Each structure stands twice: as structure tokens, then as C-alpha cells.
Amino acid sequence: MKSVKDIMTSDVSICHTNDQLSDAASMMKEKNVGAIPVCDDQGNVMGMVTDRDLVIRGYAAKKPDSTPIQQVMSDRMYSCTPDCSLEEASRIMAEHQVRRLPVVENGKLSGIISLGDLSTEEMSDHAAGVALQDISERPELH
């Protein structure tokens, strides 16, 4: 049975807690992603920042481009380990209504797994579908 480490993206761009809104927005555009893990200077995962965080908590709240990313990031973070099963990762995503899950080992970012990653795996496609259904049923969380 495959685990998260078998399908996760391991080359993940990160923001640091002292990066600015404009830094995160530029990185999202450059990498064509909608979420970026936020780490401290020691590489510990502190949270996630999404394009929605930038818009709702940042720009729509009239925060300047120079606002530290830590002020708009989601610090309620859910994660899994590299050895976590694909089914367990799907369950965590569904339970916490998230589409992307940082993969963390000893506090450090190892990678990231998304619903899209899970949906391409035959053995976890059903679990990904269930997770997506559960996430889609609660639009107030996004």
C-alpha cells in the first residue's frame, strides 16, 4: 500500500514568517499555486497562506503589500507525516475541510499533498472523492 511519501510533492516553495503579502502573491503567481506553507527561520512549519488569505485578510482588509505574511496566514494547520497512508491523508483533509496538506516530519516540511495528487492514485481515488465531497459540502469554510 502506498503512503504519502510516494506521491507527495517534495520540491515545495515556502514563505517565511517575515515575508510580505507581495512576496507571497508573487510566488503564487510564479509557481502557479494557490497555497504556500509558511516556515520560521529554522524551517519549522508555522502555517499556510492561501490566495484567499491574501485577498480576504490582506488586500480586502486594506493591508499594504508590506504587511508581514504572518498577519494573514492560517495558523490552524493540519498536517500528516510522510509515512501516513493515502486513506488517512484523505480522511484528515475531509475532516478539516482542506484541499492541501503539508507533510511534516519532526516539525520540518517534507512536502505537500493535495486532493489532486490523491485523485491520480487508483487506490486512493475513492477516498479523494469522499474528501472532496465533504469539503464541497461546507463552502463557508473557504
Side-chain angles (χ1 to χ4, degrees), residues 5-85:
K5 68 182 168 199
D6 296 319
I7 68 167
M8 71 181 190
T9 299
S10 55
D11 183 23
V12 180
S13 297
I14 63 165
C15 283
H16 290 92
T17 51
N18 58 347
D19 285 347
Q20 301 173 355
L21 293 183
S22 59
D23 297 326
S26 294
M27 187 178 298
M28 286 180 188
K29 179 182 178 187
E30 177 186 326
K31 302 293 183 179
N32 194 28
V33 296
I36 299 176
V38 179
C39 298
D40 65 14
D41 291 335
Q42 289 74 45
N44 298 304
V45 181
M46 305 303 292
M48 291 279 285
V49 64
T50 66
D51 46 8
R52 184 169 173 84
D53 293 330
L54 293 178
V55 171
I56 303 298
R57 297 182 191 158
Y59 298 118
K62 307 282 190 232
K63 299 210 184 228
D65 281 345
S66 60
T67 301
I69 205 67
Q70 195 166 15
Q71 290 185 22
V72 301
M73 74 179 193
S74 300
D75 57 5
R76 182 184 300 168
M77 197 187 77
Y78 306 100
S79 63
C80 64
T81 65
D83 294 324
C84 182
S85 72

Side-chain angles (χ1 to χ4, degrees), residues 110-124:
S110 297
I112 197 163
I113 188 166
S114 71
L115 280 177
D117 296 331
L118 291 171
S119 69
T120 62
E121 286 299 312
E122 190 173 315
M123 294 301 290
S124 65

